[in-house]
Amino acid sequence: MIYLAIGFPPAAKSCAYRMRETANKFVELGWDVTVLTIAEESWEREYGLDHTLSDPVDPRVRIVELPLAREDLETDIRLFTEDRALNPIRWMQRERARHLEHFPEPVFGGWRSALEQGVLDIHREFPADMLLASCAPYVNLAAAWKLWETHKIPYAIDFRDGWSVDVIGGGEAFTRDSEAGQWEERVLSDATAIWCVNDPIANFYRERYPELAERVHVVRNGFDPDSVPEVHGEPAAEAGLTFGYLGSVNFKPAFLATVLDGWRAARERDPLVARSRFEIRGHIGAGASREANAHMTLIRQAEADGVLFGGPVAKAEVAATYGRWDALVLMLVGGRFVTSGKVYEFMASGLPVVSCHEVDHDASHVLAGHPLWTGAVGLDAEGIADSFVKAARMAVEATPEQRAEARAHSARFTRGLLMTPAAEHLSHAVRSTLVTGGAGA
């Protein structure tokens, strides 16, 4: 199996968890897996590297790295062209246009040729029986199609968040008759399977392509058991609590400002929250804006209110990080098309969860029934303040039975448990095709 997985460990990307589980699962099912990704140095331009992500990768997984990188994230001005140095906005516009000449994706379209050649080279050395492409970037679709077009190798698409669906705003991101729409329809029409991370996205694709409905499957993200902390004891309320957020800060500054306003309001109305802390961990910004942006300004301005930024957390330290916190703050953009991967970890921690997202959000459906969830109140500072106060009470009053119930609620969302049936189904489907002579080199 050729696995197009740009973002594979040790890339410090949230998609790396899903990709690692996918590769390992197919190895367990007897596949010889070759991962095609980009060079480690390229990730240092974005969110960086986390080598602890690579430790659990099955040693039988073969990794091929292509020398591709995002030029727009280069920060060494000595490498800038004169045009970029003198007029960076015009340079960026031309860079986006250059990528679109190759594929309808303004940041990664220019990678098309290298990715297509990459899968052909791997197939020549290690003849493939299947290709699985994980998107984004969506230019991976062109590489999957290239191998199908030239050698009729069966392929599947792990869309995760989808392409033609606007997961943040809701609805359609582009029309079927657009260039992107034509690419999507062409590639999906011959795919053996199409994976999505939640039911709303899967239903969008079933309605958009009814003839492909039976091939669209929900494969949720889930959580890794090694990210779950030890059972949390009763916190020392007199010293105050620690609320925590772990994840990429990739939402708009105004969103963060609303949450911080809610935090301040909660401190004003509740003495327990007033002597508590709110710790934000994860990646803030990429490239030149890494930890040098409006989000960091807001956090620094809130330091007097007990807000602090602790930087990224290595995968190996996730469980210990949760173990130091008393309640969790789930900050998510979007609505019913967005779940996020962190919601599963948050549930499994057994800690109270404050929801800072729209009421009609897929995370709300996942959290429904969680005994230590404050509920979704929308993006209103006053409502969020009430949730902070409620979570603080939960943290000090929760019984061992309630914490155990919270963990039990998440047990069905372990990543391996969710990935296994999807991988087995796809493996069986492709092997059946091979038996009937549907693929060829």
Side-chain angles (χ1 to χ4, degrees):
M1 183 180 91
I2 297 175
Y3 184 24
L4 267 167
I6 296 175
F8 197 78
K13 302 275 289 182
S14 58
C15 63
Y17 307 146
R18 182 183 182 92
M19 291 175 174
R20 184 180 68 188
E21 183 66 36
T22 302
N24 285 352
K25 188 60 64 178
F26 277 96
V27 169
E28 290 177 16
L29 293 174
W31 290 85
D32 176 16
V33 178
T34 299
V35 169
L36 183 62
T37 182
I38 63 175
E40 288 188 15
E41 295 78 8
S42 301
W43 297 114
E44 293 183 299
R45 293 186 180 185
E46 195 181 67
Y47 287 144
L49 300 170
D50 178 2
H51 288 285
T52 68
L53 281 167
S54 299
D55 294 338
V57 174
D58 193 299
R60 292 171 289 181
V61 174
R62 183 185 302 110
I63 301 176
V64 175
E65 297 179 352
L66 295 179
L68 294 170
R70 286 183 57 179
E71 293 301 323
D72 59 311
L73 295 182
E74 176 60 71
T75 57
D76 188 345
I77 61 174
R78 294 170 298 181
L79 301 178
F80 285 14
T81 63
E82 182 178 0
D83 180 50
R84 181 177 185 180
L86 295 178
N87 196 327
I89 294 178
R90 183 178 63 188
W91 178 87
M92 183 67 75
Q93 292 172 338
R94 291 178 175 175
E95 179 73 359
R96 296 290 186 259
R98 179 181 69 83
H99 281 283
L100 289 171
E101 290 175 358
H102 301 274
F103 186 83
E105 192 172 20
V107 177
F108 304 102
W111 292 6
R112 176 183 172 183
S113 178
L115 290 170
E116 290 178 340
Q117 190 59 51
V119 298
L120 293 174
D121 291 344
I122 292 173
H123 179 63
R124 186 178 302 111
E125 187 174 359
F126 307 104
D129 298 300
M130 174 174 66
L131 181 146
L132 176 60
S134 185
C135 303
Y138 301 103
V139 69
N140 282 339
L141 297 176
W145 180 255
K146 185 69 173 181
L147 197 60
W148 169 257
E149 190 177 39
T150 56
H151 298 291
K152 287 296 180 285
I153 303 303
Y155 62 89
I157 306 299
D158 183 6
F159 250 150
R160 288 154 39 196
D161 287 335
W163 192 17
S164 58
V165 56
D166 180 357
V167 295
I168 304 300
E172 185 181 61
F174 49 76
T175 62
R176 291 184 66 167
D177 60 358
S178 65
E179 185 182 3
Q182 292 175 45
W183 260 108
E184 181 181 79
E185 185 169 4
R186 179 188 309 131
V187 177
L188 295 191
S189 64
D190 285 308
T192 300
I194 303 156
W195 291 359
C196 306
V197 297
N198 60 35
D199 290 293
I201 295 175
N203 289 334
F204 172 90
Y205 276 101
R206 290 171 184 142
E207 293 173 6
R208 188 177 180 87
Y209 306 108
E211 70 279 10
L212 305 178
E214 292 184 356
R215 287 184 251 168
V216 179
H217 307 280
V218 175
V219 186
R220 289 186 173 273
N221 278 318
F223 70 94
D224 301 305
D226 63 2
S227 295
V228 178
E230 298 294 329
V231 177
H232 201 287
E234 185 176 329
E238 64 279 359
L241 307 174
T242 301
F243 289 76
Y245 168 81
L246 174 58
S248 297
V249 179
N250 50 15
F251 32 76
K252 293 182 178 180
F255 176 96
L256 178 59
T258 298
V259 175
L260 294 178
D261 285 343
W263 169 255
R264 292 187 186 94
R267 286 168 64 85
E268 291 174 358
R269 70 182 62 165
D270 185 85
L272 177 55
V273 181
R275 59 179 182 268
S276 298
R277 299 156 298 282
F278 180 11
E279 183 177 357
I280 298 174
R281 302 293 304 271
H283 298 281
I284 299 184
S289 64
R290 190 186 304 177
E291 298 180 20
N293 49 35
H295 302 87
M296 286 301 303
T297 299
L298 288 169
I299 292 171
R300 293 191 185 100
Q301 291 172 345
E303 287 178 356
D305 300 306
V307 179
L308 61 149
F309 174 65
V313 176
K315 175 64 171 176
E317 299 172 3
V318 169
T321 300
Y322 287 135
R324 291 192 296 270
W325 292 341
D326 302 299
L328 303 177
V329 183
L330 184 63
M331 295 188 283
L332 297 174
V333 297
R336 65 189 184 93
F337 289 110
V338 178
T339 305
S340 94
K342 284 300 174 185
V343 64
Y344 304 106
E345 276 186 7
F346 278 31
M347 285 196 306
S349 70
L351 299 173
V353 178
V354 177
S355 271
C356 299
H357 54 70
E358 297 289 353
V359 175
D360 186 17
H361 197 288
D362 193 58
S364 297
H365 300 292
V366 175
L367 283 161
H370 189 284
L372 298 179
W373 178 43
T374 62
V377 298
L379 298 177
D380 170 71
E382 288 301 309
I384 291 172
D386 290 338
S387 295
F388 273 118
V389 173
K390 186 176 181 179
R393 295 301 160 195
M394 286 180 173
V396 298
E397 297 173 1
T399 65
E401 291 75 20
Q402 286 176 313
R403 295 185 186 280
E405 184 184 348
R407 287 176 179 251
H409 179 79
S410 67
R412 66 189 187 278
F413 293 115
T414 56
R415 199 182 302 275
L417 189 64
L418 294 171
M419 180 60 67
T420 296
E424 289 178 344
H425 181 271
L426 177 57
S427 184
H428 175 74
V430 172
R431 283 172 170 154
S432 298
T433 302
L434 296 175
V435 169
T436 58

